[in-house]
Every structure is written in C-alpha cells, then in structure tokens.
Amino acid sequence: MSAVLVPDASTAIAGSAWTNRFAHLGEAFHTQLAPQPLPDPYWVARSPACAALLGLPDDWWEDPAFQALRVFSGQAQWPDMAPLASVYSGHQFGVWAGQLGDGRAHWLGEVQTPAGPMEIQLKGSGRTPYSRMGDGRAVLRSSIREFLASEAMHALGIPTTRALCVVGSPLPVRRETMETAAVATRVSPSFIRFGHFEHFASRGQEPELRRLADFVIEHHFPACRDAAMPHAALLEAVAGRTAELIAGWQAVGFCHGVMNTDNMSILGLTIDYGPYGFLDGFDPGHICNHSDEQGRYAYARQPNVALWNLHALAQALLPLIGDTDAALAALECYRTRFAEALAARFAAKLGLATREDGDPALAEDLLRLMSAERTDFTIAFRRLSAFRTVPEAGNERVRDLFIDRPAFDAWAARYSARLRREGSVDAERALRMNRANPKYVLRNHLAEVAIRASQAGDHGETERLRQVLERPYDEQPEHEAYAAFPPDWAQTIEVSCSS
C-alpha cells in the first residue's frame, strides 16, 4: 500500500471530504488495490482549467505539503482515497469479449468540487486483476494524446472526461518499440460504461445489475426515479445523451476509433481516447484506427455504431425493464435526437438563423463536394464563415479550396440565396459561425510534434499546444501555424489501439 500523506493535504481539493460512492457498491463491482508506483516521476503536462474544476489552488502541483507528483504517480495517497479497479465486460469490434475491466487504471476516489462530485482516476498505473495479458502501463505517447484530446474536446464544447495532468517516468515499456512510461490523471462525474451493465447481465447477476442501475439513476439521472418504468427511462436518457454526443463528434470531424461498448460512457461523455483523430481532408470513410481492418469505426459509421451499442445496453437492462417493446421504444429517441442535434449543429456551421426544409440537403451537398476532393474539413468551414452574399463577392478564400469551381459556384449560389431569404447580415453571421466552426483542432501531426519533443525531454510544445486548443474558436494570430494545412508527412502517421 502506498504511503498516506499528511491529513491536511486532501483539503487542497475544494477543501472538502472524499465521498467515494462507487466504492460502496460492493466487492462484486471492483477490486480494491493501490496503484503501482512510477519510479523517478516528473511533470509532463498539467491543465489549469481542470485544476480549477476540482477547486485546486494555483500552486497545487508545486506545494510541498500537497505532494501532488507523488500522488499522481501512484507513489502516495491522500487520506480517504479508496483506490480500486472496476470490473466490466463488453463487445469489442462487434464481438462479445467477455470480462474486461480496468486493466491499467486505478480509481482513486470521488471528491466534492464546486461542479459537484468528481471521480479521479489514474491511467497507466499498473496491473490489476483485469489486466489479462497487459502490463498495466501506459506510455508517454498515449498519455499525451489522452491529455490533449480531453482538454481540447472540452474546449470545443463536446462532452468528455477531463485530464488533470500527465506524469512521466524513465521506466521502459514495450509497445511496437521500447518507450517510456507515463500516467494520465483523468476526471469525470463517473467512469461507468455500458460494459458495466453488460458484465452483470451476461452472468445473470440481476441483484448486482439492479443495484448498479439504481445507483446510476439515484446519482446521475434522478429524473428517472419517478417514471412509470425507471430503468426504461434510464435507457432513454442515456440514448438521448449519446445522440447529442455523436452529433457533436460528427460536427467537428472527430473520429473516436474504438467505439467498443466498454468505451461508451453511461453519461454520454467521450471516454477512452486511444486511436482517435480529427479529419483533415473530408472522407466519410476515414478510418483513424490502424487496427480497425474492417472499418467498423469509420467516421460515417459512428452514428450507427452508437445505436448498435445502445441496443447492447438495452439487452443488458432488459431483465430490469422486463418488456422488449418498452426497451425498443426507449431507444427510438436516439434517431430523432441525433438527427435534430446534427441538423442544428450543421445549421450553426452554415450560419443559418432560421430553418427551411432544404437545409439538410444544402449541408449534405457541401459535404459531398468536399468528399469528392478531400477538402480540408476544418479549414473549409472556418473559411466559409467569411462568405459574403453581395452579388460581386467572389468568396475566393473558400472557393479556392475546390478544384471543381463550377460545382462550388452552383452550391454557393444556392447558399447565398438561402442566406438572403432570411435577411442574413454577413458580419453578424460571421461572428456566429466562428463560434461553431473551430479554427484549431487536435490534428494528429500537431500531437505527434508535441510527443516527439516530449520524448526528447522538451515538454514545452505540449503546453503550447494545450494553450492553443483551449481557445479553438479564437483567431490567435500568433499561433496561425497551428491552423495550417497538414504537412505531407501527416499522411504517414498510423495510430492503433496501442496509442
């Protein structure tokens, strides 16, 4: 067991006690064990925004009494932490994988914060009973990717787990090559996944299944308590949140890469950043995960995969719902909510203040043009923000992105007419569109540059990139290079499940 620090250290987090509600569910849900300490830890990255979420003081990471480096490297614990690894099961690439669980993560506990209870978890903190053949470690590369993606997605307004910090170590870890170890500290209202429910359902453990579902309702979906069928209401609520989440992904060109049921948050958060990627050239069939040989998790397939996963969750909850028709009815909201959310997001991306029946087709036709030429997704929509509706406007900045100029001109004429019909004012619309179309996203080559620098001992680029991504919708002229077209070598980056 790791050493415990002085009692007043724990008051650095919002000055409040740990509650650890998940730990009280019982032994069937987890195994209590301490993280395996990282040797010779050092700071790699920290998120001031996530620290503020937890109510941490500005100097939390360097206060000797706090000893944060030791705690977040697994060398020590604060009083009232309850380290554990949770068990779950799930479908991986559409195939039942059986028991899984936190194979390289340790849940440290739950603390009261100004934003409500937050769970804190170390990722890469050593083997657990659920590690299977894994070593329980994460590498610097994957930890930086998780850290940057978590905070970047939050800044984009996409529901996500957060990342407080990354701690590195010279400890060697073998993946495709020999790398060094790191631990990322993750923060979330809950780390419960679809797979937690699948685990108990698959084993016929209905009392534990009910306890878990009632726990989630009580603490995260209290509005479901008074429904005629609370567990069907829970399923419907999760389906709605998932629909909103996936619409957010599609609208910013985000590919998760490994949407297994054990990687789906019951709260509708983006969780488990691995082989993710943001689109460069627009390709609906883009596969960001080199391990995804069949393209199951390609960009355009994400909405249907999410629904497939929700059906797996419905199957797991069926013993509690007791009615197949009621379970299916609870899932119906997914299609409606997703379509509405996606339409609203793309209307915002096009700067439309009103709604017309032809708006979805207008957006789809632009995407079709972009797909034909692999037009850069982020740059195209950002430049579209400056579109002018006056007859003499050439709109060259966005027009020059397309080889087939007549095709773009035909679309632009329709778009301009649509904007004039609602009396759109160019300058006002540009401001709105620039809040819907980010200028800066975490492209793979940007992450790769930061990772390579950090592997060489320079963590400054990771921090600079974090700062840029913290304001994705702002112009930031001093950081224009981060919004440029990706270099040719970016096409050679391969990201797999080990990432």
Side-chain angles (χ1 to χ4, degrees):
M1 178 66 70
S2 301
V4 176
L5 303 187
V6 291
D8 61 359
S10 63
T11 64
I13 295 188
S16 63
W18 297 71
T19 52
N20 303 336
R21 294 174 299 183
F22 184 83
H24 298 152
L25 278 172
E27 295 181 358
F29 295 84
H30 50 71
T31 299
Q32 290 191 323
L33 77 164
Q36 293 177 329
L38 271 185
D40 304 317
Y42 58 85
W43 290 115
V44 174
R46 299 172 299 277
S47 167
C50 187
L53 172 72
L54 294 173
L56 291 167
D58 292 341
D59 64 348
W60 67 273
W61 59 278
E62 56 185 354
D63 183 347
F66 199 26
Q67 299 197 43
L69 185 60
R70 294 188 64 211
V71 171
F72 296 127
S73 63
Q75 291 189 353
Q77 296 170 27
W78 292 323
D80 299 323
M81 279 184 167
L84 57 83
S86 73
V87 62
Y88 48 80
S89 297
H91 287 82
Q92 298 191 327
F93 292 92
V95 178
W96 178 245
Q99 179 179 298
L100 302 166
D102 293 328
R104 56 175 174 166
H106 290 73
W107 186 94
L108 297 182
E110 180 187 51
V111 67
Q112 292 290 340
T113 78
M118 291 287 167
E119 297 177 1
I120 299 179
Q121 183 187 78
L122 302 184
K123 183 175 180 179
S125 45
R127 287 183 57 83
T128 76
Y130 316 116
S131 297
R132 297 191 290 175
M133 301 299 292
D135 59 15
R137 290 299 184 187
V139 296
L140 184 62
R141 167 176 49 95
S142 62
S143 300
I144 289 175
R145 282 177 57 83
E146 171 120 13
F147 173 82
L148 289 173
S150 301
E151 295 307 283
M153 290 287 274
H154 173 72
L156 287 168
I158 310 296
T160 178
T161 57
R162 302 293 300 277
L164 175 63
C165 60
V166 174
V167 173
S169 166
L171 179 71
V173 177
R174 177 168 290 282
R175 290 298 181 260
E176 285 87 352
T177 60
M178 193 64 74
E179 303 185 49
T180 57
V183 169
T185 298
R186 310 198 294 185
V187 176
S188 177
S190 176
F191 288 97
I192 294 175
R193 306 133 185 280
F194 290 13
H196 280 94
F197 293 87
E198 289 185 287
H199 177 75
F200 296 110
S202 68
R203 295 175 171 229
Q205 294 178 273
E206 187 172 328
E208 288 78 8
L209 178 65
R210 184 177 300 276
R211 192 183 313 161
L212 178 64
D214 291 347
F215 174 89
V216 170
I217 289 173
E218 178 70 21
H219 298 297
H220 301 292
F221 294 92
C224 296
R225 284 182 301 209
D226 298 327
M229 302 179 71
H231 300 109
L234 170 63
L235 179 60
E236 183 173 3
V238 174
R241 287 199 188 185
T242 303
E244 296 281 350
L245 173 69
I246 305 303
W249 288 3
Q250 302 302 103
V252 296
F254 175 77
C255 305
H256 185 276
V258 59
M259 291 175 64
N260 298 332
T261 58
D262 57 294
N263 293 337
M264 297 292 292
S265 162
I266 200 70
L267 299 186
L269 307 175
T270 314
I271 193 170
D272 288 343
Y273 292 94
Y276 67 83
F278 284 84
L279 295 174
D280 290 331
F282 181 62
D283 175 9
H286 177 69
I287 304 165
C288 65
N289 181 356
H290 188 62
S291 305
D292 185 6
E293 297 178 356
Q294 303 301 316
R296 177 179 176 82
Y297 299 137
Y299 167 80
R301 292 181 175 177
Q302 291 184 142
N304 284 339
V305 170
L307 182 57
W308 192 97
N309 290 341
L310 284 164
H311 275 90
L313 177 62
Q315 185 66 38
L317 287 171
L318 194 55
L320 306 183
I321 298 173
D323 184 332
T324 300
D325 290 340
L328 292 174
L331 294 179
E332 279 302 309
C333 77
Y334 175 83
R335 290 185 175 87
T336 302
R337 287 279 293 276
F338 173 75
E340 292 174 348
L342 190 67
R345 285 184 176 269
F346 272 93
K349 291 178 78 67
L350 293 177
L352 302 178
T354 59
R355 297 292 180 267
E356 290 187 6
D357 291 343
D359 291 348
L362 187 67
E364 290 166 6
D365 289 344
L366 175 60
L367 291 174
R368 191 172 294 111
L369 288 177
M370 292 168 60
S371 174
E373 301 186 8
R374 299 295 188 264
T375 309
D376 191 279
F377 185 86
T378 301
I379 292 175
F381 276 105
R382 184 71 177 192
R383 289 191 182 183
L384 192 65
S385 300
F387 188 93
R388 296 173 62 222
T389 55
V390 293
E392 65 273 16
N395 293 303
E396 287 84 1
R397 282 275 292 165
V398 63
R399 184 176 187 263
D400 287 348
L401 295 174
F402 295 86
I403 298 172
D404 189 346
R405 304 293 174 77
F408 174 78
D409 290 344
W411 181 87
R414 292 166 54 202
Y415 180 48
S416 185
R418 170 68 181 86
L419 294 174
R420 289 195 298 271
R421 282 199 299 275
E422 69 176 22
S424 184
V425 178
D426 290 347
E428 295 175 357
R429 185 182 67 257
L431 291 175
R432 293 199 311 272
M433 291 176 70
N434 281 341
R435 304 311 301 172
N437 295 307
K439 182 168 183 174
Y440 302 94
V441 296
L442 183 56
R443 298 176 186 263
N444 268 337
H445 76 277
L446 297 177
E448 185 66 19
V449 169
I451 289 165
R452 292 177 184 178
S454 194
Q455 289 172 332
D458 178 6
H459 310 305
E461 182 59 24
T462 297
E463 172 58 16
R464 283 188 290 274
L465 185 53
R466 181 201 63 76
Q467 291 182 15
V468 171
L469 296 171
E470 193 173 47
R471 298 161 50 209
Y473 298 102
D474 294 348
E475 280 296 324
Q476 303 187 62
E478 70 277 21
H479 296 305
E480 198 72 27
Y482 291 91
F485 290 98
D488 290 342
W489 63 264
Q491 302 302 316
T492 66
I493 298 174
E494 292 184 351
V495 187
S496 67
C497 287
S498 69
S499 301

